[in-house]
């Protein structure tokens, strides 16, 4: 089934939410392959189901039917604690709303996922510093999120997503809350992740201009692939 | 794997405005608990700490308190030269016949009147009570109508300064000294010469004898000898034992302290629960984020429990600090035995502080448990989607 250079293989994936008495079909029988190292932009209008795809790939949500393999693993078959470990080791997540922990500094936020590894304090420090340098915020390590601009917050969030050196970085409308200048910066960092660091980056967006940064664009509408 | 302690600590601190009411509620519980225990400890100390283990106290059989006991002068002459009683260097038997009298005296600053226990003692009586010492002035001279008052009572009663004159029913005395007795029951007494006390209050009898036996065995024999002699109708027990029994008066306060603490802590648990529900509810998406990063349910629950414990601990610290403010503060209550003013100090011991803090932390943990579990049980995706 999965071609060796495909990091994500999606087959006949459906997601149906039960809202009261009505079934809401968020994803309708989707099949999709994502190659290792590509920067895929999932483009679609609001409510099209793009976030749902991303959540299922990242092991945050479960499909109603169909399969989603990531690096050959059927993510839906993992139990809650296995999923937690799997996410920690394999996926970096970037949110539209940044989701930094307000009481922790930039450094501490980026360090969080590393606290679940066996790394020593020194190794953690080195990795956090490298990640912060990569997003150009080494000098903001001691700042709290509220002392940073939106664009800086999102770059810290990207540093947090890549600090564990995961194969996959997923971003759900990462520029949705940013001005166009900050958005350019953030998109540049994501593109560099794929082009220079060889990461697979999957980005969900409503914005065609943002999607243009991707190496490939896929359109979703009403839970179905259109292109 | 755990979240950093900083996460819990800073979250406990950062929302201090919204948690203040809960923190102060817990502070109040701990304050009441520690203060009442300290009160009980002070009262206990004032009796438990009283007496010399070598001494025996002789009172009339059937009397509940020394002040209610009467012993004839005849009895003193008969017992005085028993060979079981030790002698001092001058060969005199070490026995003191005391006369106790209650007088009603005015408190300072028009605080009404209260009973004060006067103890007429002989020089032997002072020697037998090494706990009692002078902190100001000098001892009374027999025949000169002089009075030595407790320094602690002196702060509470009018005309108790050195040189003042105290008017009692049938006479007046000059205050010549202040005594201190290390927090024992004698801190609630005023001392004067035994014979003067008898004549002033028109007493024909003594109240009690305090005796130093030659040794332990002689003490046992003396108890036997006096108690079995049907002529005397006397009761003999160790002085420390007699005062320890008076400690009973602290039991209701301890009980009240425990009861109040338990009742109030039920309220505090609900307050803490309310606060933590709000705190956790406002952080639902943050908790979802932590779980996306790979933290397990248990790590989230633990971090929230630690946060609740911190909150409660701060409250406990405030409560202890408030209670500690009263440490050493001298106050008085009416003795249940003599109806006289009994002074004692609040004693905030490390044990009570530790218990109070432990109490607070328990309240915090119990109050946090349900909100924490509810937050951690929410599916990651639902937590993330919450606003
Ligand atoms: N928990 C839910 N319950 C019911 N309907 C949901 C739920 N989550 C998402 N949906 C619906 O599924 C569809 C796709 O959701 P989503 O992938 O989040 O949209 P978007 O493409 O805007 O990111 C939408 O119509 C949305 O209303
Ligand atoms: Mg979306």
């Amino acid at each position: 089934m999965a071609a060796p250079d495909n990091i994500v293989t999606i087959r006949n994936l459906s997601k149906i939410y039960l809202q009261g008495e009505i079934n809401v079909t968020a994803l309708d029988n989707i099949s999709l392959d994502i190659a290792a190292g590509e920067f895929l932009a999932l483009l679609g209008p609001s409510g099209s189901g793009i976030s749902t795809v991303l959540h299922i790939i990242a092991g945050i949500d479960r499909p109603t039917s169909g399969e989603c393999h990531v690096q050959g693993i059927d993510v839906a078959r993992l139990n809650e604690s296995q999923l937690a470990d799997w996410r920690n080791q394999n996926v970096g997540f970037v949110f539209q709303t940044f989701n930094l922990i307000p009481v922790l500094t930039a450094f501490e936020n980026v360090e969080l996922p590393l606290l679940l590894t066996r790394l020593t304090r020194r190794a953690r420090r080195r990795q956090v510093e490298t990640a912060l340098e990569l997003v150009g915020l080494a000098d903001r390590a001691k700042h709290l999120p509220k002392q940073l601009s939106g664009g800086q917050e999102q770059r810290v969030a990207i540093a947090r997503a890549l600090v564990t050196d995961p194969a996959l970085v997923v971003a759900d409308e990462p520029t949705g809350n940013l001005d166009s200048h900050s958005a350019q910066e953030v998109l540049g960092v994501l593109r560099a992740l794929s082009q220079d660091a060889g990461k697979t980056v999957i980005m969900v967006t409503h914005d065609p201009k943002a999607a243009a940064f991707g190496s490939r664009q896929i359109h979703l509408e009403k839970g179905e692939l259109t292109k | 794997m755990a979240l950093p302690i900083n996460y819990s600590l800073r979250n406990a601190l950062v929302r201090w405005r919204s948690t203040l009411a809960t923190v102060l509620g817990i502070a109040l519980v701990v304050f009441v608990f520690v203060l009442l225990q300290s009160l009980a400890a002070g009262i206990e100390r004032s009796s438990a700490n009283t007496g010399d283990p070598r001494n025996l106290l002789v009172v009339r059989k059937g009397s509940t308190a020394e002040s209610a006991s009467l012993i004839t002068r005849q009895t003193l002459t008969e017992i005085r030269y028993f060979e079981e009683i030790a002698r001092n260097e001058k060969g005199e038997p070490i026995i003191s016949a005391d006369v106790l009298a209650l007088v009603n005296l005015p408190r300072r600053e028009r605080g009404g009147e209260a009973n004060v226990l006067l103890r007429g003692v002989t020089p032997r009586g002072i020697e037998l009570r090494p706990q009692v010492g002078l902190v100001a002035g000098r001892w009374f001279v027999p025949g000169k109508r002089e009075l030595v008052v407790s320094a602690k009572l002196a702060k509470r009663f009018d005309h108790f300064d050195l040189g003042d004159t105290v008017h009692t029913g049938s006479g007046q005395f000059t205050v010549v000294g202040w005594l201190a007795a290390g927090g024992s029951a004698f801190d609630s007494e005023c001392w004067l010469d035994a014979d003067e006390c008898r004549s002033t209050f028109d007493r024909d009898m003594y109240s009690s004898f305090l005796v130093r036996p030659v040794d332990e065995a002689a003490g046992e024999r003396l108890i036997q000898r006096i108690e079995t002699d049907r002529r005397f109708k006397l009761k003999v027990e160790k002085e420390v034992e007699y005062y320890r029994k008076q400690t009973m008066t602290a039991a209701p306060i301890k009980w009240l302290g425990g009861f109040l603490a338990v009742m109030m802590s039920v309220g505090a648990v609900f307050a803490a629960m309310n606060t933590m529900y709000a705190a956790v509810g406002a952080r639902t998406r943050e908790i979802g984020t932590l779980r996306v990063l790979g933290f397990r349910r248990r790590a989230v629950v633990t971090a929230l429990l630690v946060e609740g414990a911190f909150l409660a601990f701060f409250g406990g610290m405030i409560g202890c600090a408030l209670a500690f403010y009263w440490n050493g503060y001298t106050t008085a209550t009416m003795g249940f035995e003599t109806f006289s003013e009994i002074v004692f100090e609040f004693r905030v011991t490390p044990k009570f502080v530790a218990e109070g803090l432990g109490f607070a932390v328990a309240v915090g943990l119990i109050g946090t448990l349900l909100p924490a579990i509810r937050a951690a049980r929410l599916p990651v995706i639902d937590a993330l989607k919450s606003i």
Side-chain angles (χ1 to χ4, degrees):
Chain A
M1 34 174 259
D5 56 345
N6 280 343
I7 184 166
V8 178
T9 320
I10 292 172
R11 290 288 174 271
N12 304 69
L13 195 70
S14 291
K15 176 76 185 181
I16 297 161
Y17 290 105
L18 191 66
Q19 206 166 37
E21 306 257 293
I22 325 156
N23 282 336
V24 180
T25 304
L27 290 177
D28 192 4
N29 205 26
I30 282 181
S31 297
L32 175 67
D33 290 320
I34 300 170
E38 75 172 318
F39 180 8
L40 178 74
L42 270 174
L43 192 59
S46 191
S48 57
I50 40 178
S51 290
T52 307
V53 182
L54 203 70
H55 289 147
I56 290 171
I57 294 172
I60 293 169
D61 207 351
R62 293 173 188 276
T64 309
S65 63
E67 286 179 12
C68 174
H69 290 257
V70 179
Q71 291 174 309
I73 291 171
D74 187 353
V75 179
R77 286 186 193 224
L78 301 178
N79 67 28
E80 275 299 311
S81 2
Q82 288 169 330
L83 261 183
D85 294 346
W86 179 82
R87 281 194 302 265
N88 178 252
Q89 288 153 20
N90 298 287
V91 189
F93 209 108
V94 181
F95 306 87
Q96 177 179 354
T97 47
F98 322 141
N99 290 15
L100 296 180
I101 309 303
V103 297
L104 299 181
T105 63
F107 184 97
E108 289 164 335
N109 265 287
V110 175
E111 191 185 22
L112 271 181
L114 294 183
L115 295 176
L116 296 168
T117 66
R118 288 176 202 279
L119 292 179
T120 63
R121 206 186 166 81
R122 274 188 55 197
R124 289 203 305 265
R125 166 168 285 275
R126 221 176 20 244
Q127 245 166 278
V128 172
E129 280 165 357
T130 309
L132 280 173
E133 263 162 41
L134 223 111
V135 298
L137 287 175
D139 54 335
R140 299 298 155 95
K142 291 211 166 75
H143 290 225
L144 288 172
K146 64 166 181 249
Q147 298 167 322
L148 299 171
S149 71
Q152 290 170 333
E153 276 196 78
Q154 193 61 300
R155 275 142 70 198
V156 171
I158 293 173
R160 180 177 67 184
L162 58 86
V163 74
T164 52
D165 196 24
L168 198 59
V169 174
V170 301
D172 192 348
E173 294 184 53
T175 57
N177 282 14
L178 297 179
D179 61 86
S180 62
H181 176 73
S182 302
Q184 298 283 318
E185 277 181 0
V186 163
L187 290 166
V189 170
L190 288 176
R191 181 163 58 190
L193 275 186
S194 137
Q195 281 182 359
D196 307 339
K199 304 267 170 237
T200 308
V201 180
I202 309 173
M203 177 178 71
V204 153
T205 181
H206 303 305
D207 176 10
K209 273 189 267 169
F213 275 77
S215 55
R216 176 158 72 113
Q217 288 77 24
I218 288 193
H219 291 259
L220 215 68
E221 221 156 298
K222 293 184 185 150
E224 291 178 51
L225 294 175
T226 57
K227 223 193 277 174
Chain B
M1 275 291 191
L3 277 151
I5 196 98
N6 266 341
Y7 174 75
S8 304
L9 181 60
R10 289 183 206 158
N11 269 313
L13 290 172
V14 79
R15 291 168 300 107
W16 68 269
R17 254 179 271 266
S18 53
T19 54
L20 194 62
T22 301
V23 169
L24 291 183
I26 292 171
L28 187 68
V29 176
V30 171
F31 171 70
V32 167
F33 174 77
V34 172
L35 199 69
L36 286 177
Q37 297 303 320
S38 308
L39 192 82
I43 292 176
E44 272 181 0
R45 183 174 140 116
S46 79
S47 5
N49 189 32
T50 303
D52 185 311
R54 293 169 298 179
N55 294 349
L56 296 178
L57 185 72
V58 184
V59 293
R60 196 178 62 173
K61 200 168 268 176
S63 57
T64 53
E66 194 187 358
S67 57
S69 155
L70 292 169
I71 313 176
T72 60
R73 292 159 73 184
Q74 173 70 21
T75 313
L76 177 63
T77 30
E78 284 179 39
I79 287 177
R80 192 182 175 103
Y81 291 104
F82 279 6
E83 68 274 13
E84 289 89 351
I85 299 176
R87 308 284 174 105
N88 66 9
E89 314 85 67
K90 294 181 203 151
E92 301 160 318
I94 307 179
I95 177 168
S96 173
D98 291 1
V99 183
L100 269 60
L102 280 171
V103 291
N104 208 250
L105 292 175
R107 285 210 185 98
R108 281 184 195 264
E109 284 150 10
R110 298 210 199 92
E113 301 197 326
N115 281 335
V116 173
L117 190 64
L118 299 190
R119 180 183 294 275
V121 284
T122 58
R124 294 298 88 69
I126 299 175
E127 289 163 22
L128 278 165
R129 297 177 177 95
Q131 275 175 311
V132 181
L134 280 176
V135 289
R138 57 173 174 80
W139 282 112
F140 52 83
V141 174
K144 297 184 105 175
R145 307 191 72 77
E146 289 174 346
L147 186 66
V148 171
V149 301
S150 145
K152 282 181 177 161
L153 285 180
K155 293 188 185 110
R156 307 180 62 82
F157 282 88
D158 234 351
H159 312 305
F160 268 24
D161 290 323
L162 297 185
D164 284 357
T165 305
V166 175
H167 298 265
T168 67
S170 49
Q172 55 187 45
F173 291 89
T174 309
V175 175
V176 295
W178 281 6
L179 64 81
S184 69
F186 303 123
D187 267 327
S188 304
E189 296 182 355
C190 297
W191 286 14
L192 68 164
D193 178 65
D195 288 329
E196 257 171 30
C197 188
R198 263 190 323 111
S199 63
T200 306
F201 297 98
D202 220 7
R203 294 283 183 80
D204 208 26
M205 302 214 227
Y206 294 110
S207 302
S208 66
F209 300 155
L210 191 61
V211 180
R212 170 76 49 82
V214 176
D215 53 33
E216 189 98 14
E220 292 298 321
R221 287 199 304 279
L222 190 62
I223 294 174
Q224 275 290 315
R225 188 166 170 188
I226 296 177
E227 287 200 337
T228 51
D229 195 323
R230 312 257 315 260
R231 288 173 305 159
F232 297 148
K233 296 198 179 64
L234 293 176
K235 181 171 164 20
V236 187
E237 66 183 322
K238 292 207 159 148
E239 187 189 17
V240 288
E241 205 52 46
Y242 168 82
Y243 283 102
R244 196 171 296 143
K245 284 186 196 157
Q246 307 279 334
T247 308
M248 292 304 284
T249 49
I253 293 173
K254 265 191 187 168
W255 186 85
L256 181 72
F259 178 77
L260 272 183
V262 168
M263 292 314 286
M264 289 172 70
S265 67
V266 172
V269 162
F270 280 104
M273 202 181 285
N274 206 38
T275 300
M276 287 310 288
Y277 265 128
V280 166
R283 297 216 307 272
T284 306
R285 199 173 58 196
E286 176 176 314
I287 288 163
T289 305
L290 291 173
R291 297 199 43 214
V292 169
L293 295 182
F295 288 96
R296 299 196 183 182
R297 289 199 162 110
R298 212 183 313 152
V300 170
V301 170
T302 306
L304 293 174
L305 284 176
V306 172
E307 183 178 330
F310 267 129
L311 267 186
F313 187 80
F314 297 141
M317 295 277 279
I318 294 172
C320 285
L322 288 178
F324 198 77
Y325 177 79
W326 298 91
N327 188 31
Y329 179 80
T330 303
T331 185
T333 178
M334 199 172 70
F336 293 106
E337 302 289 348
T338 59
F339 299 107
S340 67
E341 191 112 317
I342 306 285
V343 291
F344 56 87
E345 289 179 354
F346 285 89
R347 302 194 57 79
V348 180
T349 62
K351 177 170 170 271
F352 298 145
V353 170
E355 281 175 2
L357 290 179
F359 205 77
V361 168
V363 165
L365 289 177
I366 295 169
T368 309
L369 194 59
L370 284 179
I373 288 176
R374 188 171 84 167
R377 274 169 70 154
L378 198 64
V380 185
I381 185 69
D382 295 338
L384 271 186
K385 280 181 180 174
S386 94
I387 22 96

